[in-house]
Amino acid sequence: MPESTETAPRARVRRRSWIRGLVPALLILVWLAGAGLGGPLFGKVSEVSSNDQTSYLPSSSDATEVQQLLGEFNDSEAIPAIVVFVGDEELTESQLSAIDDAVSGATDVEGVADEVSPAIPSEDGMAVQAFIPISSDADLGDAVSALEDELRAAVPDGVTVYVTGPAGFSADLVAGFAGIDGLLLGVALLAVLVILILVYRSLLLPIVVLSTSLFALCVALLVVWWLAKWEILLLSGQTQGILFILVIGAATDYSLLYVARFREELRSTKDKGAAVIAAWKGSFEPILASGGTVIAGLMCLLLSDLKSNSTLGPVASIGIVFAMLSALTLLPALLFAFGRAAFWPRRPKFEPEVVRAEDGMATTGLWAKVARLVQRRPRIIWIVTTLVLVVGALGVTQLNTNGVPQSDLVLGSSEARDGQVALGEHFPGGSGSPVYVVVDESKLQDAADVMLANDGIDSVAVTAADSPSGSAGVTEDGIAAFGPPGTPAPEPTVVDGEVLLQGTLTDAADSDAAASTVRDLRADLTDLDARVGGVTATAVDTNDASVHDRNLIIPIVLVVILFILMLLLRSILAPVLLILTTVLSFGTAMGVSALVFNGIFDFPGADPAVPLYGFVFLVALGIDYNIFLMTRVREESLKHGTREGVLRGLAVTGGVITSAGLVLAATFAALSVIPILFLAQLAFIVAFGVLLDTFVVRTLLVPALTYDIGRAVWWPSKLGRGEK
């Protein structure tokens, strides 16, 4: 039976309403399914990640090439643990015998490989060292812990046991990163929840926004985990921590912008569906531009020589993509479902008359007062704030980014660090972490002579060929020592025409002196076409690659972000000014951080990658707030003129941008709960820099500078010529 003319429109309205309600429901279900698959992967990232420093070096570096060859010479990929036994006084025969038995019995510990070397006493008779390899297939942290317990139980009273060396320090890193899945995520989410409750003074809305961020993280982790599983991406504890923080912070920021727009629309319309769509249209461009800017900056890291940098680009970019998607799909769907109830008990009123009377310009409140201050004294404000920022930036000359010893990578107590100190007191400082030199067989003697002539090398040995038992110069572990320069070389193991030399450093392997020794050896061995590797060489190559990456990538990031801003604002001058203010803010953040690191925390220095990471995050994320502000200023300028547009844009966006800045600063500050020096430094730099951008650059400097310049800021667009 055909519908009457009276009922047909009602039927169409019902169908449209049903369809409009179906889309949000489907979106929520899709995100629930993705979160359900990604959520269980928390706690399993260690299965697909690696913290081995050599795996992040360029494949062409000497340290990488030598590391790849070690297994062929030693027929083992085990990670060496150096065990140091120190007596309260000179060790007795019975104590030495008990130590020998303990070392021999270490092979019974799960995770310990079979090739345990004999214990070596020190010349002063106060200590013994032993090399106990940990299987590469074992859980390093558990294996080192079990080995410590076993050895301490086996040695007599009066003997202290330390486990150090590559295995010991790697176990420290594993323990340091252990809190990423639980502690870090919990602290970050709690901090964001508290801020959201204070901002919204609501119970439901903070949970809605936080759910949006958490679902984005779950789905991002799902994608990243499988890409790492398939060995398409390289994942480390450091990258994992940054991914978690970045997604939570960015998704919450984008959500805050959308919610602010949604609240505005609810005051003008009764229809929550219309408000959702209008808010989406108003938020889409700034969220897309903001996320696109961050992704563009991150993807510049692909130009890095270090894989730890280059792999962060796509991993973090995946996180930003899902942060944007969740803010533009899941959040609107949830707000459509809850409507005004999401803001309970402070539901937005439907008051179109008040909105029309306000004409989009807040006349009361903090941000209206700030806007009036900018209106009265624009030039004084931007000049004074610029001078203050310049003074803060002067501290950057105190920042030491030449790298830090491996023993200082983990904050707090470290048995491996204590063991290295004990090792240096009784043995050559570089014992257990030798310099490896791979050279042509015909040049073995020349290479050994060069090494022995270096004051930084205590002794030299060669991986020896299979020899009859008792052959002169060959120890039980297959290593033969050289005598003074010119002494005939022992019979070496030859692999593809090359031999492996080991040099014991006189200084600790992670010291500046050891690094200088490696650089000198490389220079002296150039004519012999030798390659130098080992723990110290890996650190040297890592630092050199970090410096190269920093000098290359920072200018490229600036150019890319400048181009994006030009497209977004349809201007040349405004983007240039925004970039300059953001760079100045970054310089101030680094300068203040240097003073804090040196004067308050007494840090030993910083990794060369710290400025690069700080720059990428501060410039890419800091420019977000300028994007949020200036896109709204441009929107208002089209209606009211530039100077009036600046005041309106500042008054309208002040609250949401400040909230977003607090959220992002809090999430990055949460990185400091992980006792890793690099993450603690990055946490302070980014958190302080974001707050600086939020309360000084975006609040005072940019609005005052734009207001003072006036319409010319939009040059060469029509808006720059059309103001009355």
Side-chain angles (χ1 to χ4, degrees):
M1 183 175 179
E3 296 181 8
S4 67
T5 55
E6 183 179 356
T7 59
R10 294 181 180 176
R12 285 196 295 271
V13 169
R14 284 197 298 270
R15 282 197 296 270
R16 283 198 298 268
S17 178
W18 181 80
I19 293 172
R20 191 168 64 174
L22 179 63
V23 172
L26 289 175
L27 286 172
I28 293 172
L29 288 175
V30 168
W31 279 100
L32 276 171
L37 294 172
L41 297 178
F42 287 101
K44 296 184 178 181
V45 180
S46 59
E47 298 176 7
V48 295
S49 65
S50 169
N51 292 308
D52 179 11
Q53 198 172 14
T54 55
S55 65
Y56 294 96
L57 285 170
S59 57
S60 59
S61 76
D62 278 7
T64 304
E65 292 180 2
V66 172
Q67 182 67 28
Q68 292 170 347
L69 290 170
L70 286 182
E72 298 183 31
F73 283 102
N74 298 330
D75 194 27
S76 172
E77 295 183 356
I79 304 169
I82 304 172
V83 182
V84 186
F85 302 87
V86 181
D88 295 339
E89 51 189 22
E90 187 171 346
L91 296 170
T92 64
E93 287 297 328
S94 61
Q95 287 176 321
L96 290 172
S97 177
I99 291 173
D100 285 337
D101 292 341
V103 171
S104 300
T107 54
D108 296 333
V109 177
E110 185 176 356
V112 174
D114 294 332
E115 307 89 359
V116 175
S117 302
I120 304 171
S122 62
E123 291 185 3
D124 61 10
M126 293 281 294
V128 170
Q129 68 168 320
F131 302 94
I132 300 179
I134 306 297
S135 173
S136 58
D137 297 329
D139 184 301
L140 191 60
D142 291 344
V144 169
S145 179
L147 178 63
E148 291 170 349
D149 294 341
E150 177 70 20
L151 293 176
R152 283 173 182 152
V155 298
D157 293 337
V159 177
T160 304
V161 180
Y162 303 97
V163 178
T164 185
F169 285 116
S170 296
D172 277 354
L173 285 175
V174 170
F177 284 118
I180 281 185
D181 290 331
L183 180 62
L184 173 62
L185 195 57
V187 169
L189 292 174
L190 180 61
V192 172
L193 180 62
V194 170
I195 293 173
L196 291 177
I197 291 175
L198 294 175
V199 168
Y200 292 128
R201 282 169 281 179
S202 165
L203 297 177
L204 181 58
L205 191 56
I207 296 175
V208 170
V209 171
L210 204 57
S211 298
T212 302
S213 303
L214 192 55
F215 278 35
L217 178 57
C218 288
V219 179
L221 180 61
L222 174 65
V223 174
V224 168
W225 195 92
W226 280 104
L227 290 176
K229 178 76 171 178
W230 297 328
E231 299 183 355
I232 297 173
L233 293 177
L234 195 61
L235 195 59
S236 68
Q238 177 176 293
T239 303
Q240 177 190 351
I242 292 173
L243 172 69
F244 285 8
I245 291 303
L246 194 59
V247 174
I248 294 294
T252 304
D253 276 6
Y254 303 150
S255 298
L256 285 166
L257 182 64
Y258 182 88
V259 169
R261 281 281 190 168
F262 182 60
R263 190 202 295 266
E264 285 184 44
E265 297 299 332
L266 287 177
R267 297 179 65 202
S268 303
T269 178
K270 283 185 176 180
D271 186 350
K272 64 178 181 180
V276 164
I277 294 172
W280 192 91
K281 290 179 179 178
S283 306
F284 176 77
E285 185 177 44
I287 289 176
L288 187 64
S290 173
T293 302
V294 177
I295 290 172
L298 289 168
M299 292 304 284
C300 289
L301 291 173
L302 287 172
L303 301 172
S304 170
D305 278 348
L306 278 178
K307 293 179 184 177
S308 56
N309 294 340
S310 61
T311 194
L312 175 65
V315 169
S317 295
I318 289 170
I320 294 295
V321 167
F322 285 106
M324 289 191 296
L325 286 175
S326 65
L328 291 172
T329 58
L330 176 59
L331 181 61
L334 291 172
L335 290 178
F336 177 85
F338 291 110
R340 282 181 167 81
F343 295 88
W344 183 88
R346 303 176 71 242
R347 302 186 186 195
K349 297 178 181 179
F350 175 60
E351 44 188 7
E353 298 82 4
V354 176
V355 173
R356 283 194 293 270
E358 292 176 352
D359 192 25
M361 176 66 177
T363 56
T364 60
L366 173 64
W367 299 107
K369 293 178 182 178
V370 173
R372 287 194 291 271
L373 175 63
V374 169
Q375 184 181 26
R376 288 195 300 269
R377 297 284 188 273
R379 187 163 299 177
I380 292 177
I381 289 174
W382 75 257
I383 290 176
V384 170
T385 52
T386 299
L387 291 175
V388 171
L389 292 174
V390 168
V391 170
L394 295 177
V396 78
T397 58
Q398 304 301 311
L399 185 63
N400 174 17
T401 58
N402 296 322
V404 294
Q406 184 185 28
S407 55
D408 289 322
L409 293 179
V410 178
L411 300 174
S413 61
S414 166
E415 180 175 308
R417 184 189 305 133
D418 296 340
Q420 180 169 282
V421 172
L423 186 69
E425 291 174 350
H426 303 283
F427 297 92
S431 296
S433 299
V435 171
Y436 293 111
V437 175
V438 177
V439 68
D440 187 89
E441 177 187 8
S442 63
K443 302 174 182 177
L444 168 62
Q445 188 66 58
D446 293 335
D449 290 345
V450 168
M451 295 174 68
L452 287 167
N454 192 302
D455 292 338
I457 299 295
D458 180 77
S459 61
V460 175
V462 65
T463 301
D466 293 336
S467 303
S469 176
S471 294
V474 180
T475 62
E476 294 180 20
D477 58 359
I479 302 297
F482 276 84
T487 302
E491 187 67 24
T493 298
V494 181
V495 176
D496 295 331
E498 295 182 316
V499 294
L500 176 68
L501 289 161
Q502 299 182 29
T504 300
L505 292 159
T506 57
D507 303 289
D510 60 355
S511 65
D512 291 339
S516 296
T517 298
V518 167
R519 293 187 187 278
D520 291 342
L521 283 177
R522 284 178 168 171
D524 296 339
L525 292 169
T526 299
D527 294 338
L528 301 180
D529 295 324
R531 287 162 290 175
V532 179
V535 172
T536 308
T538 297
V540 168
D541 288 348
T542 300
N543 288 346
D544 289 348
S546 291
V547 172
H548 166 271
D549 293 347
R550 184 179 67 202
N551 296 339
L552 171 69
I553 294 173
I554 286 178
I556 293 176
V557 170
L558 284 176
V559 172
V560 169
I561 293 179
L562 178 63
F563 182 71
I564 293 174
L565 289 175
M566 287 179 178
L567 292 178
L568 176 66
L569 299 176
R570 289 84 159 173
S571 166
I572 293 177
L573 182 57
V576 169
L577 293 176
L578 292 181
I579 287 290
L580 290 176
T581 58
T582 304
V583 170
L584 178 58
S585 174
F586 166 72
T588 304
M590 294 302 297
V592 173
S593 296
L595 298 177
V596 171
F597 293 165
N598 297 337
I600 297 178
F601 296 126
D602 195 26
F603 286 152
D607 189 278
V610 166
L612 174 61
Y613 277 52
F615 179 84
V616 169
F617 289 124
L618 273 184
V619 172
L621 294 171
I623 208 73
D624 279 4
Y625 305 127
N626 285 329
I627 288 175
F628 291 168
L629 170 66
M630 292 304 288
T631 51
R632 188 58 180 259
V633 167
R634 189 176 190 281
E635 180 182 329
E636 297 292 341
S637 297
L638 290 170
K639 302 175 185 176
H640 306 283
T642 299
R643 287 194 167 93
E644 181 69 12
V646 170
L647 304 179
R648 289 171 175 268
L650 176 58
V652 171
T653 63
V656 64
I657 294 179
T658 300
S659 301
L662 289 172
V663 165
L664 194 62
T667 52
F668 264 93
L671 280 173
S672 61
V673 303
I674 304 300
I676 302 296
L677 178 63
F678 180 90
L679 294 182
Q681 291 176 327
L682 187 64
F684 183 87
I685 290 170
V686 178
F688 178 78
V690 166
L691 293 176
L692 194 65
D693 272 331
T694 302
F695 290 103
V696 178
V697 177
R698 186 271 316 166
T699 301
L700 298 173
L701 178 56
V702 170
L705 185 59
T706 305
Y707 188 93
D708 194 24
I709 294 173
R711 70 182 182 212
V713 79
W714 306 113
W715 180 86
S717 68
K718 292 181 180 179
L719 183 58
R721 304 189 300 270
E723 186 175 338
K724 50 190 176 184

